[in-house]
Amino acid sequence: MQVSVQAPANWRSHEMLRSFNFVSTSTPGFTILRSSNKSSSNRRIKTNSPSPMATLSTVPTDKEVESTQKINPPLQVAKRLEKFKTTIFTQMSMLAIKHGAINLGQGFPNFDGPEFVKEAAIRAIREGKNQYARGYGVPDLNSAVAARFSKDTGLVVDPEKEVTVTSGCTEAIVATMLGLINPGDEVIVFAPFYDSYEASLSMAGATIKSITLRPPNFSVPINELKAAVSENTRAILMNTPHNPTGKMFNVEELNAIASLCIENDVLVFSDEVYDKLAFEANHISIASLPGMYERTVTMNSLGKTFSLTGWKIGWAIAPPHLTWGVRQAHSFITFATSTPMQWAAAEALRTPDSYYEELKRDYMAKKAILVEGLNAVGFTVYPSSGTYFVVVDHTPFGLENDVAFCEYLIKEVGVVAIPTSVFYLNPEDGKNLVRFTFCKDEKTLRDAVALMKERLRRR
Ligand code: GLN
């Protein structure tokens, strides 16, 4: 078990990539672009077309970056965020563009969301649904979220008192931390963990305890978890289906976590954004276990299920006494979320089950292409039950760690993956593992596999 408030400064991805001379020191520009420097705001830069090979979400190119850096004063950041660097997803998508590589790194679909949802957004804009939404959500969306949750879990929740609409699940996470965690409270996370968890906890002043899930099954080491709970433990932050491993928490693990939380009066914050991408098992919300609803904040979003990751519509469901804290933070972070997109999200959530079945079928076909391909290339592929990610052991190819492997993969093979060491308090724990995503069209997946078959050799 790792306990840390201040992780060592050298563990973060950017330094690691730099130390491999991979992210050149002359391109710290994404850091510059994200800084709050006033002087950078009036210097918007033209966009270069990315290579047709590289898929992108929205990341600046090298040229954009270089044009700002010469005249900028030193970067400034508050202590609570100083150890965090440009996210690994942004870094890897930039490198995909720079090297014209196929991007199986950042988890965003390279295909569009459904027409009926896009049309609903356009209609809402045309109908003039364009002013501030009610802070905790457009009533129609609160109702649609509550209805879907009740269908999925059997729990009946009050859309007015127990649902808070946020700007993506990432905001739901940070609002939950800021609204319910006091400085010094301990929060337990499972490593590998999604990168925003640690930053959100750091902003809330929490002490992080990390329990490592280990391959091949990434099972929860219940005894380690028990030992980690102390009188200062305020919450367990979990994610099922789990990014990056694709692990789904099974009923025994969920029961064990639930008992522990009930016995020790601990809350659970559960990020379930991949709930509709559960392939090998049924998704179970921990809130639906006896005695758990009253101590759980369940967080979800529209992005993954409707292939609209740029819309940033999320929500938190919790009993009124916990919703209060979440809403207090949300009110002063974003106040309200995009109005027309909320109307469209409500329409999306009322879609018949056939939509989810088709989504799952499509993703299972994509997953089969990638998993079969990665096996044929020679990776040790770990089982992924849900999400659109799969984690592999890269060591058969003889590179010294995950970052070195990803560097080789981009430069010599033309494919981007995500090094996982950035998702641990102790990066050593992830040095053998890299993550690939299959939320890309089938041709892209096949092309990536073909490149790896051709250019990767076991050593
Ligand atoms: N959730 C996406 C992933 O895991 C990344 C989102 C982001 O870039 N912050 O790949």
Side-chain angles (χ1 to χ4, degrees):
M1 180 185 66
Q2 296 286 321
V3 182
S4 152
V5 191
Q6 295 283 307
N10 68 351
W11 76 278
R12 278 285 156 188
S13 54
H14 201 65
E15 272 84 355
M16 291 167 62
L17 291 171
R18 264 190 203 168
S19 72
F20 285 95
N21 201 17
F22 189 29
V23 171
S24 95
T25 44
S26 65
T27 58
F30 18 95
T31 330
I32 290 168
L33 286 178
R34 78 183 174 144
S35 84
S36 60
N37 240 312
K38 282 197 194 103
S39 56
S40 64
S41 60
N42 57 359
R43 276 184 267 116
R44 291 246 53 96
I45 331 106
K46 70 174 168 45
T47 308
N48 283 3
S49 304
S51 144
M53 292 270 279
T55 50
L56 73 162
S57 57
T58 341
V59 289
T61 63
D62 275 6
K63 288 239 162 60
E64 289 176 333
V65 156
E66 277 158 17
S67 67
T68 60
Q69 71 183 14
K70 293 187 190 94
I71 28 182
N72 267 317
L75 303 177
Q76 298 184 25
V77 64
K79 282 206 169 25
R80 67 180 76 86
L81 285 171
E82 73 188 352
K83 72 186 222 191
F84 300 98
K85 304 297 178 196
T86 303
T87 83
I88 192 69
F89 307 111
T90 302
Q91 287 189 54
M92 297 316 272
S93 284
M94 284 190 65
L95 289 170
I97 293 166
K98 178 172 172 181
H99 293 277
I102 298 179
N103 192 351
L104 303 189
Q106 193 181 24
F108 63 91
N110 71 344
F111 41 86
D112 211 354
E115 284 305 310
F116 78 95
V117 189
K118 294 194 293 178
E119 283 304 324
I122 292 162
R123 202 175 342 110
I125 291 171
R126 291 225 167 90
E127 284 171 0
K129 291 167 170 156
N130 297 311
Q131 306 310 328
Y132 294 127
R134 183 177 67 174
Y136 59 90
V138 162
D140 207 33
L141 179 54
N142 291 58
S143 297
V145 167
R148 176 171 139 187
F149 191 63
S150 140
K151 197 165 174 190
D152 289 346
T153 62
L155 293 164
V156 177
V157 300
D158 182 339
E160 294 300 303
K161 299 200 175 102
E162 296 170 89
V163 176
T164 307
V165 175
T166 56
S167 295
C169 187
T170 303
E171 197 227 334
I173 293 164
V174 81
T176 300
M177 301 311 146
L178 294 174
L180 293 170
I181 298 294
N182 281 312
D185 284 351
E186 286 174 8
V187 177
I188 298 175
V189 296
F190 296 101
F193 47 78
Y194 186 57
D195 65 346
S196 84
Y197 296 175
E198 193 190 0
S200 303
L201 288 167
S202 171
M203 286 191 274
T207 299
I208 303 172
K209 284 188 172 179
S210 166
I211 302 291
T212 299
L213 306 178
R214 296 200 155 77
N217 295 322
F218 301 100
S219 307
V220 177
I222 299 294
N223 288 334
E224 269 181 61
L225 179 62
K226 278 189 183 147
V229 174
S230 80
E231 58 182 27
N232 297 323
T233 306
R234 169 74 164 148
I236 295 178
L237 170 53
M238 55 176 283
N239 171 216
T240 182
H242 180 254
N243 177 8
T245 64
K247 171 211 170 50
M248 290 176 64
F249 285 61
N250 63 34
V251 74
E252 290 77 33
E253 292 170 328
L254 293 172
N255 275 326
I257 295 170
S259 310
L260 207 54
C261 290
I262 292 166
E263 275 160 33
N264 295 281
D265 195 17
V266 167
L267 303 176
V268 171
F269 305 144
S270 186
D271 167 355
E272 303 183 6
V273 294
Y274 298 98
D275 65 338
K276 295 296 181 193
L277 301 178
F279 306 116
E280 318 287 336
N282 287 328
H283 170 73
I284 306 168
S285 286
I286 193 162
S288 67
L289 270 42
M292 285 308 288
Y293 182 71
E294 64 209 61
R295 58 181 65 256
T296 303
V297 181
T298 306
M299 297 169 285
N300 208 324
S301 76
L302 197 76
K304 280 71 180 170
T305 311
F306 290 92
S307 308
L308 294 164
T309 59
W311 280 27
K312 304 299 293 173
I313 298 290
W315 52 87
I317 303 171
H321 66 283
L322 298 180
T323 288
W324 176 244
V326 178
R327 284 188 184 175
Q328 285 307 96
H330 164 74
S331 300
F332 299 110
I333 300 172
T334 54
F335 173 63
T337 294
S338 165
T339 306
M341 297 323 202
Q342 289 196 55
W343 284 97
E347 202 151 319
L349 292 185
R350 284 194 290 261
T351 195
D353 287 348
S354 55
Y355 171 82
Y356 300 113
E357 284 152 21
E358 199 181 319
L359 179 82
K360 218 152 129 171
R361 257 200 316 275
D362 283 357
Y363 267 120
M364 283 174 88
K366 293 177 194 302
K367 183 180 169 191
I369 293 169
L370 183 64
V371 168
E372 231 168 77
L374 292 171
N375 273 311
V377 170
F379 289 103
T380 306
V381 182
Y382 292 117
S384 160
S385 310
T387 73
Y388 40 52
F389 305 116
V390 55
V391 159
V392 301
D393 184 321
H394 64 80
T395 54
F397 301 99
L399 275 301
E400 65 180 298
N401 61 32
D402 59 326
V403 175
F405 177 80
C406 287
E407 170 184 5
Y408 185 86
L409 195 66
I410 293 181
K411 286 191 180 160
E412 308 299 331
V413 181
V415 174
V416 178
I418 298 286
T420 68
S421 53
V422 298
F423 305 136
Y424 295 82
L425 292 185
N426 176 10
E428 279 287 298
D429 288 345
K431 74 176 197 308
N432 294 344
L433 307 177
V434 299
R435 186 196 84 175
F436 288 92
T437 183
F438 51 90
C439 59
K440 309 292 169 180
D441 63 75
E442 295 188 5
K443 181 178 180 312
T444 300
L445 296 170
R446 288 207 170 87
D447 289 349
V449 167
L451 282 177
M452 289 190 275
K453 276 187 182 158
E454 186 191 313
R455 299 182 185 170
L456 268 181
R457 290 281 162 264
R458 290 175 77 112
R459 287 187 233 167

